[in-house]
Amino acid sequence: MSVVVDGLEGLRVPEELSARVPAEQRGPGRGRDDVRLLVSRGEAVSHHAFRELPALLRAGDVLVVNTSPTLAAAVDGRLGPEPGGEPVVVHFSTRGDDGRWAVELRSPEPSGSTRPRAGGPAGAVVRLPGGGRLALAGPLTPGSGRLWWARAYGDVPGLLGRYGRPIRYGYTERDQALSAYQTVFARPSPDGGGSAEMPSAGRPFTAGLVAELAARGVWIAPLSLHTGVASAEAHEPPYPERFEVPAATAALVNAARATGGRVIAVGTTVVRALESAAVAGPVGAGPVGAGASARAGRGWTDLVVTPARGVRVVDGLLTGLHEPEASHLLMLEAVAGRAALRSAYAAAVRDQYLWHEFGDVHLLLPEEKGHRTRCGSNSG
């Protein structure tokens, strides 16, 4: 999928702006919420510490969060007949309704990270720890060989619990415990499912910050969307993912919108889930038109939110900083508009915000007439 956002074509994110370790490991006394918060209101930007978030929201606003837990989704294996075989790392991405798993095979690096590898071949068997087996069937999407459907023989949640580790990419400094990838909102899934990669927009929240938000009259509404393996390498749109919007969350969103509250999605996964379940109505960038409403829903979504489609029930978005080629940028443009996105990303590079799942965060709010932004930059 081609991603074109005018003004971002030449944007380059310096390698040194990759967040290599979690915020709490960057110095004594630091916590998860010691990250920076870039705030966009139209083309105006302001710089804050993440701990200032409660003061930037209003009583009656709703933060919608993803409660999907992160899985220890990376497991070492051997491809081919015994003895020996090619060493591979299996990324368990998404569990299908028929019990199969969408998996990605990668080649291990001496550093502990992995590098891309072509999927397949069809019919090959991957030997897993503890005597497990994985039989490769075929590509998840015709013409794209990165993710494959595979039949797992054995208890996959148990396998991940005993032998798995969090998926790690080359820009990180070292392996981290699974707890580093769980958000304060994560809740166990009854079937042992979860996300292959952390719903990272929720990572900077702490129990104390959530309590402060509640004290200020900001509502927290849960939903779940189990994220699969990210597709930044191939610049592909998201693969179908399982989601559930509870009836109570839909009701709270609609009540807030009816009384002037803003609906702020914590992460692009939340936007996908809410917009996938929304009742059809007028769409557009920024504040939604009359007639659209949230509703309960569950199932699979392959929705890609673009400026042409717009958004129906989301007023704002709290998210990480995305690579210039990522399809998520189309969603950000749909929520805030092209000018806001150009201005924010120029400021993020200029002021050296940190990228990726352990990095800084970006709050896109509706533009308000007469709003005055403050200048300067506070590091978290």
Side-chain angles (χ1 to χ4, degrees), residues 294-314:
R295 67 176 178 183
R298 62 187 304 175
W300 292 86
T301 178
D302 58 1
L303 175 65
V304 178
V305 177
T306 66
R309 179 201 182 273
V311 290
R312 294 187 168 94
V313 296
V314 173

Side-chain angles (χ1 to χ4, degrees), residues 70-75 89-95 101-106 114 116 140 144 146-148 166-169 194-198 225-242 269 272 300 327-328:
T70 307
L71 301 176
V75 178
V89 176
V90 181
H91 288 174
F92 284 83
S93 179
T94 305
R95 183 179 185 176
W101 281 80
V103 300
E104 178 189 28
L105 300 187
R106 293 177 68 90
T114 61
L140 182 65
S144 175
R146 197 165 65 88
L147 283 178
W148 279 57
I167 290 175
R168 175 192 164 195
Y169 288 112
S195 291
E197 297 186 358
M198 172 177 55
L225 185 143
H226 296 324
T227 66
V229 171
S231 52
E233 291 162 356
H235 308 159
E236 298 162 336
Y239 292 99
E241 294 167 324
R242 189 188 302 274
T269 59
R272 286 190 88 200
W300 292 86
S327 61
H328 290 311

Side-chain angles (χ1 to χ4, degrees), residues 24 66 83 88-89 107 123 130 138 145 152 171 176 184 187 199 207 235 266 282 317 331-332 346:
E24 60 271 26
N66 189 355
V88 294
V89 176
S107 297
Y171 51 77
Q176 298 287 339
V184 70
R187 296 293 179 268
H235 308 159
V266 179
L317 172 62
M331 179 188 293
L332 271 62

Side-chain angles (χ1 to χ4, degrees), residues 154-348:
D155 172 25
V156 172
L159 172 79
L160 301 184
R162 288 190 296 273
Y163 303 108
R165 61 186 179 275
I167 290 175
R168 175 192 164 195
Y169 288 112
Y171 51 77
T172 56
E173 186 175 291
R174 56 182 176 271
D175 285 341
Q176 298 287 339
L178 183 60
S179 59
Y181 292 86
Q182 301 294 6
T183 74
V184 70
F185 305 114
R187 296 293 179 268
S189 182
D191 64 357
S195 291
E197 297 186 358
M198 172 177 55
S200 56
R203 189 184 192 279
F205 286 85
T206 63
L209 189 67
V210 171
E212 185 178 349
L213 287 163
R216 287 177 175 263
V218 177
W219 295 91
I220 307 291
L223 55 74
S224 66
L225 185 143
H226 296 324
T227 66
V229 171
S231 52
E233 291 162 356
H235 308 159
E236 298 162 336
Y239 292 99
E241 294 167 324
R242 189 188 302 274
F243 77 97
E244 180 174 3
V245 178
T249 291
L252 185 56
V253 166
N254 290 331
R257 297 183 65 242
T259 55
R262 298 171 297 182
V263 178
I264 312 297
V266 179
T268 58
T269 59
V270 170
V271 177
R272 286 190 88 200
L274 282 175
E275 294 291 325
S276 295
V279 175
V283 297
V288 297
S293 60
R295 67 176 178 183
R298 62 187 304 175
W300 292 86
T301 178
D302 58 1
L303 175 65
V304 178
V305 177
T306 66
R309 179 201 182 273
V311 290
R312 294 187 168 94
V313 296
V314 173
D315 298 302
L317 172 62
L318 180 71
T319 183
L321 293 162
H322 303 282
E323 294 292 345
E325 303 87 358
S327 61
H328 290 311
L329 289 179
L330 295 175
M331 179 188 293
L332 271 62
E333 185 180 346
V335 172
R338 181 172 296 174
L341 194 55
R342 286 199 307 257
S343 178
Y345 272 65

Side-chain angles (χ1 to χ4, degrees), residues 129-153:
R133 295 286 189 275
L134 195 66
L136 302 177
L140 182 65
T141 302
S144 175
R146 197 165 65 88
L147 283 178
W148 279 57
W149 283 118
R151 178 70 65 182
Y153 297 92

Side-chain angles (χ1 to χ4, degrees), residues 32-65:
R32 282 182 172 229
D33 53 359
D34 280 304
V35 296
R36 299 169 69 191
L37 176 64
L38 179 69
V39 178
S40 296
R41 293 182 179 89
E43 293 184 65
V45 298
S46 57
H47 305 276
H48 305 263
F50 185 74
R51 291 192 182 106
E52 297 176 60
L53 177 65
L56 295 167
L57 301 178
R58 303 191 298 240
D61 287 344
V62 176
L63 286 176
V64 187
V65 302

